[in-house]
Amino acid sequence: MISLSEFYKSVFGCKVYKVAIDAGCTCPNRDGSKGVGGCIFCSESGSGEFASSRRMSISEQIEEGKSRIMSKLRGRSGGRNGKFIAYFQNFTSTYGNADELCAKYSEALSCDDVVGIAIATRPDSLGEKILDFLAETSQSRFVQIELGLQTSNENTGALINRCYTDADYENAVRMIKSRSPKIHIATHLIFGLPNETESDMMNSVDFVLKNKTDGIKITVLYVLENTRLAQMYFNSDFSVLSKDEYFSLVSKAAAKFPDDLVVHRLTGDPPKSLLIEPQWTCDKKKVMNEMRKIIFEKK
């Protein structure tokens, strides 16, 4: 397995930081075309708490995001020499008017020090025009598509109201790879979803590896305020994973990873102002250091 920082450095030759931006999209299971309310764990901002305001232009969002990152890096050796990936993070960032979205992707790529784009989306929301645009763009610029699968268990998928199927994911991967093998596909999974067993979670890992994802992102399930998941939690419908339980699951998952798999994330970064549980995730630096020792130092 390869860490994301190692992968980006191999591609760009320098440190690369992701700038979260908002494309102004919604989701098909929020606007009624497939469902309402969104996934039960998703916050009101569509998991984009760290993005700038959608009222700003894409260029303005990127400049604000770059400044925010650089302010955190002051005093760090080499930190100010890095480049940036424009990360269209929240809601479904391929869902909307294709021409307008492609223009936003192009605007992001035109910004100073932006070396590529990463787009978070659903497997059922990749239209032909956007796919063709991203495939063409990938011939000269770095393009990453992050597919939110969460689980390969269809019963859990229905419970969390994702409103798409495993077949949608398989089809999305095929469509992307058939258009351009240069597009980097990252797949997001969540460990600790209600009613899921260790076997379910390992099956999800096996499923995405079988489909030849280029990268993987695994996070523990967060219970955030003002979500339907929070209501379930307070009703004692499920319990969250402890740190030891989560680390054990991730270790077992990592044992399955092929050498060329890019590990985007094995820990999350929940918004502390909204987080109900698990509270052990609040100490991000400590969790990341412990995870790094468990996973990458045992390669």
Side-chain angles (χ1 to χ4, degrees), residues 23-25 93-105 129-130:
C25 299
S93 293
T94 58
Y95 185 62
N97 182 283
D99 292 328
E100 292 178 1
L101 287 172
C102 290
K104 291 179 179 180
Y105 306 149
K129 182 174 287 189
I130 286 179

Side-chain angles (χ1 to χ4, degrees), residues 173-201:
V173 173
R174 281 196 299 268
M175 288 194 302
I176 295 167
K177 288 187 177 292
S178 67
R179 279 172 167 79
S180 174
K182 292 185 177 182
I183 295 176
H184 180 82
I185 301 174
T187 304
H188 185 203
L189 296 176
I190 297 176
F191 282 0
L193 290 166
N195 302 330
E196 289 231 320
T197 64
E198 178 182 313
S199 178
D200 291 323
M201 291 176 254

Side-chain angles (χ1 to χ4, degrees), residues 156-254:
T156 307
L159 175 65
I160 64 176
N161 195 45
R162 70 180 186 182
C163 297
Y164 54 82
T165 66
D166 291 351
D168 289 322
Y169 171 82
E170 293 174 307
N171 185 53
V173 173
R174 281 196 299 268
M175 288 194 302
I176 295 167
K177 288 187 177 292
S178 67
R179 279 172 167 79
S180 174
K182 292 185 177 182
I183 295 176
H184 180 82
I185 301 174
T187 304
H188 185 203
L189 296 176
I190 297 176
F191 282 0
L193 290 166
N195 302 330
E196 289 231 320
T197 64
E198 178 182 313
S199 178
D200 291 323
M201 291 176 254
M202 295 306 108
N203 286 341
S204 293
V205 173
D206 290 338
F207 178 74
V208 300
L209 295 180
K210 182 188 72 174
N211 280 279
K212 304 299 183 183
T213 186
D214 301 304
I216 194 166
K217 174 189 283 189
I218 302 176
T219 58
V220 69
L221 178 68
Y222 302 120
V223 182
L224 302 180
E225 292 180 2
N226 304 316
T227 61
R228 281 182 287 171
L229 185 69
Q231 296 175 3
M232 293 174 61
Y233 176 74
F234 289 127
N235 288 337
S236 300
D237 291 339
F238 71 99
S239 58
V240 297
L241 293 173
S242 69
K243 185 171 71 171
D244 288 345
E245 287 173 328
Y246 182 66
F247 276 31
S248 175
L249 288 164
V250 170
S251 295
K252 291 173 181 177

Side-chain angles (χ1 to χ4, degrees), residues 84-114:
F84 301 90
I85 286 177
Y87 181 28
F88 291 83
Q89 181 180 22
N90 52 334
F91 296 106
T92 303
S93 293
T94 58
Y95 185 62
N97 182 283
D99 292 328
E100 292 178 1
L101 287 172
C102 290
K104 291 179 179 180
Y105 306 149
S106 294
E107 182 180 350
L109 287 166
S110 72
C111 292
D112 291 341
D113 294 324
V114 171

Side-chain angles (χ1 to χ4, degrees), residues 6 18 22-23 28 52 63 111 190 198 209 227 248 274 295:
E6 290 174 331
K18 290 168 76 175
D22 188 333
S52 297
E63 287 307 308
C111 292
I190 297 176
E198 178 182 313
L209 295 180
T227 61
S248 175
L274 298 176
I295 305 301

